[in-house]
Amino acid sequence: VGVVWIIGSDGSFSILGVGVGGGGTSDEFRIYASEESAGVGASVCVDVQVDGFADIAGMQYSMSWNTDVIEFDEITSLNTDITGFSLANNFGTENTDNGELRVQWNDFNFEGVTLPDETVIYQICFNLVGTAGQSSSVAFTNSPVNQEILNTDTEIDPFMSTDGSVSITGDQPPPSDCD
């Protein structure tokens, strides 16, 4: 069994050739974001969780949100059980002002990582800048980074995801007395 990886200058990976592999957990993998809500001007963190994360050797995807409603603050709570998973090496935050985050991770030892279902792999935190009643999805997208999950059987698993959301509750701040 063998795999030929092509790694782009932006850290993304593509599979050029794959040898014959065994079963795997392709039908079970799922990544999902939590649904959060808070009042105007508050901050919230959305959990990014996985199920069926068994013998995973690489993952990449993008996330997006509405910057008129929520503003990126930080990535936190990185799961240390994912070999080499770090903010500096695996997160493209240079376009978060435009509502875009890139996530790319590879286990270059190709040993794979297995995590229990409902494991939080990181949190993405936002400041709520919209008005009461507004909400934004926190979506897994296929652009600019293609969605891929690679297992140690050198198979690309289906990328199954469930988007999260952030809702702004409560009343608007009182109007200013200044004219």
Side-chain angles (χ1 to χ4, degrees):
V1 175
V3 63
V4 177
W5 297 62
I6 297 192
I7 301 176
S9 61
D10 64 354
S12 64
F13 65 89
S14 295
I15 307 296
L16 179 63
V18 178
V20 176
T25 60
S26 63
D27 291 337
E28 300 173 37
F29 174 84
R30 184 172 71 99
I31 189 166
Y32 52 101
S34 63
E35 295 182 357
E36 305 296 334
S37 62
V40 174
S43 296
V44 297
C45 293
V46 172
D47 292 340
V48 176
Q49 296 175 263
V50 291
D51 289 341
F53 200 96
D55 297 321
I56 301 299
M59 65 179 173
Q60 66 177 31
Y61 53 89
S62 298
M63 295 185 81
S64 67
W65 56 89
N66 182 339
T67 58
D68 292 333
V69 179
I70 55 178
E71 175 183 89
F72 175 80
D73 183 30
E74 67 177 333
I75 301 291
T76 188
S77 303
L78 272 71
N79 190 301
T80 58
D81 292 329
I82 300 175
T83 308
F85 198 46
S86 71
L87 184 58
N89 294 324
N90 304 114
F91 291 88
T93 59
E94 60 277 351
N95 207 20
T96 55
D97 287 347
N98 295 317
E100 178 185 282
L101 175 72
R102 290 181 286 165
V103 181
Q104 300 166 316
W105 166 79
N106 303 302
D107 176 4
F108 289 110
N109 295 324
F110 213 68
E111 295 173 1
V113 173
T114 298
L115 301 171
D117 286 353
E118 300 181 15
T119 295
V120 174
I121 59 172
Y122 62 91
Q123 291 181 316
I124 180 171
C125 301
F126 298 98
N127 297 315
L128 282 58
V129 295
T131 58
Q134 287 187 306
S135 65
S136 172
S137 65
V138 179
F140 296 95
T141 65
N142 206 30
S143 177
V145 176
N146 289 332
Q147 297 172 333
E148 291 184 355
I149 301 297
L150 180 70
N151 66 40
T152 56
D153 289 332
T154 64
E155 298 171 334
I156 297 176
D157 288 346
F159 191 95
M160 297 189 305
S161 62
T162 302
D163 297 343
S165 66
V166 174
S167 299
I168 302 177
T169 61
D171 297 325
Q172 290 284 355
S176 170
D177 290 333
C178 300
D179 290 83

